[in-house]
Amino acid sequence: MRVDIEGVTVEAAGARIVDDIRLTVPDGAFVGLVGPNGSGKSTLLRCAYRALRPDAGAIRLGGDDVHAMPPTATARALAALPQESAAEFDFTVAEVVAMGRLPHRDRTARTDHDICARAMDSTGVAHLADRGFLALSGGEKQRVLIARALAQQPRVLVLDEPTNHLDIAHQLEVLSLVRASGPTVLAALHDLNLAAAHCDLLYVIADGRIVASGTPHDVLRPALLAEVFGVRAHPVRHPVTGTVQLLFDLLTQGTP
């Protein structure tokens, strides 16, 4: 399912947090948002999964305005993994993952059980099924929440820093799994090397505006990274995959 973000603007306390952002996520693509802290990435994603209504503009799923769609229709089409997910009650892992099936209540319990089991197996949390969610480590919680999103079987997946709290092996596994699972993906990513390895397209956001877009190879240029992130970047090629990877050092006054 294609996602179109059309002139989205969000204001807070008289300041524009997101300023007339326009972008397209093609059907089936993995598109990354990258930018420094406070650039507006999370605010834009909150608009996409209906946690926040923009002051101007629209977000469309397959041509339909997400904020005009019935909530159940939105939940069947789109799943979200926010940067922070609060849990007030100590549900078991199996119960948390099963929440992803709530938009599909017309399905049989047997079907739901099988879908949840596959989601837990694929994210490596099946052995935690009877554990309380609040007793898990940060990385375990993140994998459970990703399993819940996959159990929802969305056509669009919105992820805000999905590799938070994950060790390097699980970072690579989770992003590969998300890509292989099939939905259109819009993700804010902190790690530029993970973004380069997994994204088809990148949008660079700074001060609430898009300042660059394109393939990772085209976007992750030293001059742009110096301007946006304040670092000196040294691009290299991954010896196996051939994707661009970056080595960093601080950009100090007088350095080329």
Side-chain angles (χ1 to χ4, degrees):
M1 177 178 282
R2 170 173 164 151
V3 180
D4 292 290
I5 296 178
E6 303 174 345
V8 168
T9 296
V10 178
E11 298 183 355
R16 286 200 169 188
I17 309 301
V18 173
D19 189 3
D20 193 31
I21 284 186
R22 301 172 184 271
L23 64 86
T24 295
V25 186
D27 183 21
F30 193 130
V31 172
L33 304 179
V34 298
N37 292 340
S39 59
K41 304 185 300 298
S42 293
T43 299
L44 181 63
L45 293 186
R46 283 196 288 270
C47 294
Y49 58 79
R50 288 175 51 130
L52 180 66
R53 183 179 288 273
D55 294 291
I59 296 176
R60 301 187 185 279
L61 302 181
D64 295 322
D65 186 339
V66 68
H67 287 277
M69 295 171 64
T72 300
T74 304
R76 289 188 173 194
L78 182 149
L81 179 64
Q83 191 171 142
E84 299 294 337
S85 297
E88 297 182 6
F89 302 100
D90 196 12
F91 294 104
T92 67
V93 165
E95 289 169 336
V96 171
V97 175
M99 292 175 188
R101 300 305 303 157
L102 291 178
H104 306 279
R105 290 179 178 175
D106 57 330
R107 303 290 291 271
T108 66
R110 180 74 255 171
T111 299
D112 285 346
H113 179 273
D114 291 344
I115 291 170
C116 291
R118 287 196 297 270
M120 288 190 289
D121 283 338
S122 65
T123 53
V125 297
H127 67 291
L128 302 173
D130 297 324
R131 290 269 302 275
F133 181 77
L134 296 183
L136 303 181
S137 70
E140 289 169 335
K141 288 178 179 177
Q142 194 76 346
R143 286 186 285 139
V144 170
L145 294 175
I146 292 169
R148 182 182 67 183
L150 294 176
Q152 197 169 326
Q153 295 188 314
R155 297 179 64 188
V156 176
L157 192 53
V158 177
L159 307 172
D160 195 354
E161 303 290 359
T163 57
N164 272 358
H165 311 297
L166 299 181
D167 59 49
I168 185 61
H170 284 117
Q171 289 178 18
L172 298 174
E173 288 173 1
V174 161
L175 290 182
S176 296
L177 171 64
V178 165
R179 185 175 183 90
S181 63
T184 301
V185 179
L186 178 62
L189 294 167
H190 177 73
D191 189 313
L192 297 181
N193 285 321
L194 287 175
H198 293 276
C199 294
D200 300 306
L201 298 170
L202 292 178
Y203 287 88
V204 183
I205 300 179
D207 297 322
R209 298 184 66 87
I210 293 173
V211 297
S213 63
T215 66
H217 178 268
D218 292 335
V219 167
L220 298 177
R221 301 289 187 177
L224 178 70
L225 297 175
E227 178 183 352
V228 173
F229 292 95
V231 296
R232 184 166 54 177
H234 309 274
V236 297
R237 286 287 186 177
H238 191 287
V240 176
T241 65
T243 58
V244 63
Q245 296 285 274
L246 302 164
L247 305 174
F248 299 104
D249 55 57
L250 289 175
L251 185 66
T252 57
Q253 189 171 7
T255 58

